[in-house]
Amino acid sequence: MKKLLSLFAFLAIAVSALTLVRAEDPPKKADPNLEQRIADLESYVNNAARGADAADAKITSKISGAGPGHNGFQMVCAALVLFMTLPGLFLFYGGLVRKKNILSVVAQCFGIAGLVTILWWAFGYSFVFGDGSGPWWGSFTKFGFLNGVDSNPNTNYSYWVSHNVFSMYQLMFAIITPALILGAIAERMKFSAVLLFVGLWMVVVYFPLAHAVWGIDGAMNGVWNAKASIKAIDFAGGTVVHMSSGWSALILCLILGPRLGFGKQNMAPHSMTMCAIGTGMLWVGWYGFNAGSAVAADGIAANAFTTTTIAAAVASFVWAMLEYIIRGKPSILGFCSGAVAGLVVITPACGFVNTTGSVIIGVLAGLVPFLACAYLKPMLKYDDALDTFGVHAVGGTLGALLTGFLATKDVNANLATNLDKIVGSTLWIEQLKAMAVTIVLSVVATVVIAYIVKAVVGLRPTEEDETQGLDLADHGEEGYHG
Amino acid sequence: MTLISQRLSLLAVALGITFSALGYETSTGRYTHHEHKTRMKKIEAIIKPFKLEEVKDALHDVGAEGMTVSEVKGFGRQKGHTEIYRGSEYTVDFLPKIKIELVLADSKVQEAVGAIIKAAKTGKIGDGKIFISNVEEAVRIRTEEKGENAV
C-alpha cells in the first residue's frame, strides 16, 4: 500500500512540475447589434455557435457564458451517471456476490470514485480532452489540475455547457468504466491490487482511448475530426467504456484464476432483490449516460433517450423469454441481465440510430450476450464471476459493429459533416478497425499491468482471507450481522 | 429403587417435583417402566410449508389444543433443487419445510395423525413424514398439572 501511495504522489509532483502557459489578453471587440443578439439567442435554442465563438470573431456576445437549459440538463446527466456507479453498480454487483463479500464491492466502487477523481483533476481530464498533442493522447498539461476549466464553455465540445460541468460529466464515465471490471474479478482480488491496477489502467488504457474516440483531434473521432485516421463513431462509449472494460476484465480474471471452490461450492447470488434494485438504478442513470452524451438538451439527446428506452426494454424481455422457452422459467437475473445488455449495446448507437434500429439492437442484445453467458462461459470454464465479459465485452463489441450498419444521417445531421460518404455503406469497416484497436490495447495493457501489480503488491488475498470473505479481511467490517 | 434415588426423590418432593414419576434410575440413567405407563404420545410432522394453515385447522378440529411449529430445512426422497444464474448451476440440497410438534393423549393420536395426513397430502413427492413417539411425562408450568391434564 505504501508503494502505491508513493507512486501516486510521484505522479502528482511530476505533473505539477510542468508549468502552465497563460493565454494573453484578447484584442478589443465590438458590441453585438440587435440582429446579432437575436442570432445568439437562436444559436442557444438550436445548440449552435454564437457569432462570438468564431475564431476570427469581431464581436462579443451578451450571453457569453453557459446556456442555462443545456447546462442544467448536463449537470443532471452528470449526477445520473454517478448514480449508476454509486449505488447502481455496487448494488447490481453486490447482490450477485456471496454475502461475505458485499462490502468489498461497495468499497472498490467508492475507492475507484475517489482515485479516478484525483487522477482526473491532476492530469486525466487534460490527457483526454486537452487538444493539440496529437491523435492518440491529449495534452498532459493544457488543463492540468483543471486549470482554465471554469464555468465558460469549451467550444471544442459544447457552445452552451460549462467547461467544468463537461469535465465533471466526463469524469463520471471515467469512474464507472474501471468499476465495470470489478464484476469479473469479484470476491478474489485484494483491495490494494484493485487500486493499483485501476490507477495504471486509467493512464494506459482509458485516457488514451477516450482521447482517440472523443478528443476533438482524436485518431478515431470520425464525427468531429476530419483528419481522423480511423473514421469510427461511438456516441456514448461502446468502445471506450464497455469494450475496454469488458476485454480487460476477461484477461484480468484469467490471470487471477478462479475463485477458491469455483465449480464445487455454491456461489449463488446472496440477494437477487439487491441486484434488481441496482439494475433499475443503472437503467435510470443510463439516460444521463446516453442522452447526456449529446452534451445539449437537443434533438439528438431526445433521440438517444428514445432509442435507449426501447433497446433496454426489448433486450430485457428477449433475454427472459429465451430462458422461459429454454429452461421453463424466466429469471429475475435474466430480466436484469437483458436490460443491462440492451443498454450496453445501444450505448455507441443511441445518438445515431432510429427507433427501428433500436429494436433490432434490443433483440440482438437479448440474444447474443445471453448465449455468451449461458453457453460460452460454462464451455470455456473461465470464472468471470458476474459476467463483465459476457455482458460488457460481448455487448460492447456487438454494439460497436451494429452502430456501423444502423447509423443514419436522418437522426443525427453531424454524421453528414465528415462522414457523409461512408455512413450507410463502409462505416462498419471503420468500426471494425476501432474495435481491433480497442481490443488489442485493452488486452495487451491488461496483461502488462496485471503482472506489474502482481509483482508489486500481489493480486490475490491469502486463502484464509478469501475463504473468510473480503469484507472482514480487507475492510474489517461485515455487511450483515447475525 | 436405590437408596440414592429415594433420597433424591425425597429432596425432589420437597421442591414440589416428583423425580420418580420421570421413571429414571438416577444412578445409572437406565429407563424403567415399573412405576408409570405411558399415556401420551408426541407427534412430529414434517410438512410442506404451504400446508401449514390447513394442517393447523385440521388438528384444531380434532381437539388438539396446542402445537409447536418450526421452520426447518432438510431432504428426503424429493432431494433438493437446481438454481441457475446465467450460466452457473447450483444444487440446493436442503429444502425448506415446516415441522409441527404436538403431544396428545393416546386416545387422540390416531385421529390427529389421520387429520394431518388428510390436510397435508398432495400426492406428490415431498409431502413429508409423521413420527410418533412415547412421552414419559408432561408438566404445565403455571399450574404444575401433570400427565394428560397438562397437554
Side-chain angles (χ1 to χ4, degrees):
Chain A
M1 204 53 217
K2 272 185 181 170
K3 285 177 186 170
L4 193 63
L5 288 172
S6 55
L7 183 75
F8 290 135
F10 172 76
L11 283 173
I13 292 162
V15 173
S16 61
L18 299 164
T19 50
L20 300 162
V21 184
R22 278 180 177 279
E24 286 184 14
D25 288 341
K28 270 254 179 204
K29 289 175 185 173
D31 278 348
N33 60 30
L34 192 58
E35 202 161 300
Q36 287 165 330
R37 289 168 67 183
I38 291 171
D40 277 0
L41 278 175
E42 286 178 349
S43 302
Y44 167 54
V45 174
N46 296 326
N47 189 35
R50 307 166 189 74
D53 289 335
D56 54 350
K58 303 267 188 323
I59 52 162
T60 59
S61 176
K62 294 284 184 189
I63 37 174
S64 56
H70 297 307
N71 218 27
F73 167 77
Q74 207 63 36
M75 282 187 264
V76 171
C77 286
L80 281 171
V81 181
L82 180 65
F83 191 63
M84 288 171 71
T85 311
L86 310 173
L89 194 68
F90 80 55
L91 291 177
F92 176 65
Y93 279 170
L96 293 176
V97 298
R98 290 166 289 176
K99 65 182 176 185
K100 62 184 178 180
N101 292 316
I102 166 72
L103 294 183
S104 73
V105 175
V106 179
Q108 287 162 10
C109 285
F110 268 103
I112 285 175
L115 173 64
V116 171
T117 302
I118 293 166
L119 295 177
W120 194 251
W121 160 76
F123 62 89
Y125 175 68
S126 192
F127 198 18
V128 176
F129 291 100
D131 54 305
S133 290
W136 293 103
W137 40 82
S139 162
F140 250 105
T141 54
K142 185 166 183 180
F143 301 123
F145 302 100
L146 295 183
N147 264 324
V149 180
D150 56 20
S151 298
N152 288 311
N154 173 357
T155 53
N156 275 341
Y157 301 103
S158 169
Y159 299 114
W160 300 101
V161 170
S162 292
H163 196 185
N164 48 17
V165 171
F166 177 74
S167 75
M168 289 301 102
Y169 177 70
Q170 295 294 346
L171 163 63
M172 305 317 175
F173 283 63
I175 290 171
I176 197 168
T177 305
L180 294 173
I181 299 174
L182 300 175
I185 54 95
E187 308 194 284
R188 63 184 188 288
M189 190 163 168
K190 287 197 297 191
F191 187 67
S192 56
V194 168
L195 286 189
L196 183 56
F197 178 87
V198 168
L200 295 170
W201 188 85
M202 291 306 289
V203 177
V204 178
V205 179
Y206 187 82
F207 294 157
L209 196 59
H211 175 77
V213 175
W214 291 329
I216 195 68
D217 51 358
M220 301 195 284
N221 188 344
V223 179
W224 298 111
N225 182 10
K227 295 175 195 153
S229 48
I230 298 172
K231 296 195 180 303
I233 60 175
D234 184 353
F235 194 79
T239 49
V240 182
V241 175
H242 298 292
M243 282 185 69
S244 68
S245 61
W247 284 94
S248 297
L250 175 68
I251 301 305
L252 188 56
C253 96
L254 289 174
I255 293 172
L256 267 179
R259 290 167 285 179
L260 289 178
F262 176 65
K264 298 184 194 111
Q265 288 171 19
N266 186 340
M267 295 182 175
H270 91 278
S271 171
M272 274 313 302
T273 316
M274 185 183 282
C275 174
I277 293 169
T279 307
M281 290 174 171
L282 280 171
W283 189 337
V284 170
W286 225 294
Y287 288 111
F289 199 93
N290 282 2
S293 286
V295 202
D298 63 358
I300 295 171
N303 185 73
F305 192 99
T306 308
T307 55
T308 298
T309 309
I310 293 172
V314 170
S316 175
F317 193 68
V318 167
W319 188 308
M321 290 308 115
L322 283 171
E323 289 182 335
Y324 210 165
I325 294 164
I326 296 168
R327 294 175 186 157
K329 287 177 186 173
S331 73
I332 299 307
L333 187 53
F335 280 112
C336 292
S337 307
V340 173
L343 291 160
V344 167
V345 180
I346 196 67
T347 292
C350 59
F352 299 125
V353 301
N354 58 23
T355 46
T356 308
S358 71
V359 173
I360 295 168
I361 283 175
V363 171
L364 290 171
L367 177 67
V368 179
F370 168 79
L371 296 174
C373 292
Y375 298 104
L376 186 68
K377 187 171 83 155
M379 200 170 75
L380 300 179
K381 292 189 167 64
Y382 55 90
D383 184 15
D384 178 2
L386 317 179
D387 290 309
T388 301
F389 178 76
V391 175
H392 294 275
V394 172
T397 308
L398 177 68
L401 184 62
L402 289 174
T403 304
F405 290 113
L406 298 170
T408 165
K409 284 171 278 191
D410 298 343
V411 298
N412 192 327
N414 296 328
L415 290 174
T417 314
N418 294 318
L419 303 171
D420 203 25
K421 287 177 191 155
I422 63 167
V423 170
S425 56
T426 58
L427 179 61
W428 65 277
I429 297 170
E430 301 295 310
Q431 295 297 92
L432 280 181
K433 291 182 200 166
M435 288 153 63
V437 169
T438 305
I439 293 172
V440 170
L441 175 63
S442 305
V443 168
V444 173
T446 300
V447 170
V448 174
I449 296 169
Y451 281 104
I452 290 173
V453 174
K454 194 173 184 178
V456 177
V457 295
L459 291 169
R460 303 235 350 194
T462 62
E463 288 196 8
E464 191 182 345
D465 283 353
E466 192 177 327
T467 308
Q468 183 190 33
L470 299 181
D471 290 4
L472 269 173
D474 272 355
H475 309 288
E477 293 169 297
E478 285 181 273
Y480 307 92
H481 288 281
Chain B
M1 180 144 316
T2 64
L3 194 64
I4 301 165
S5 177
Q6 274 174 347
R7 282 180 185 168
L8 276 170
S9 295
L10 282 171
L11 181 66
V13 167
L15 291 167
I17 298 166
T18 312
F19 257 44
S20 57
L22 293 171
Y24 282 97
E25 283 259 354
T26 330
S27 55
T28 59
R30 193 164 59 81
Y31 179 69
T32 57
H33 272 290
H34 54 85
E35 277 214 4
H36 239 90
K37 267 227 147 183
T38 308
R39 297 183 305 270
M40 294 168 290
K41 289 196 162 41
K42 178 161 93 164
I43 301 173
E44 285 174 277
I46 314 287
I47 61 166
K48 287 187 167 172
F50 80 99
K51 283 291 189 182
L52 176 60
E53 283 298 310
E54 284 174 62
V55 172
K56 184 198 75 185
D57 292 344
L59 283 169
H60 186 79
D61 291 346
V62 299
E65 288 180 343
M67 64 187 72
T68 305
V69 174
S70 1
E71 290 177 5
V72 294
K73 283 185 171 184
F75 67 88
R77 287 186 195 166
Q78 188 187 1
K79 294 285 183 279
H81 64 255
T82 305
E83 294 179 6
I84 304 174
Y85 296 93
R86 294 194 187 123
S88 309
E89 272 189 51
Y90 302 109
T91 306
V92 177
D93 291 327
F94 299 106
L95 295 171
K97 295 283 171 186
I98 292 284
K99 181 165 85 169
I100 298 172
E101 290 166 277
L102 67 163
V103 177
L104 290 173
D106 273 3
S107 57
K108 292 182 180 173
V109 167
Q110 279 316 310
E111 204 182 354
V113 168
I116 294 172
I117 292 171
K118 199 169 171 228
K121 186 182 262 187
T122 67
K124 290 180 191 147
I125 199 163
D127 273 353
K129 286 193 174 70
I130 299 171
F131 304 104
I132 301 159
S133 49
N134 289 328
V135 170
E136 286 302 323
E137 184 56 296
V139 180
R140 176 172 279 121
I141 294 173
R142 174 171 59 86
T143 59
E144 297 175 33
E145 286 166 283
K146 296 184 183 67
E148 287 179 37
N149 292 329
V151 298

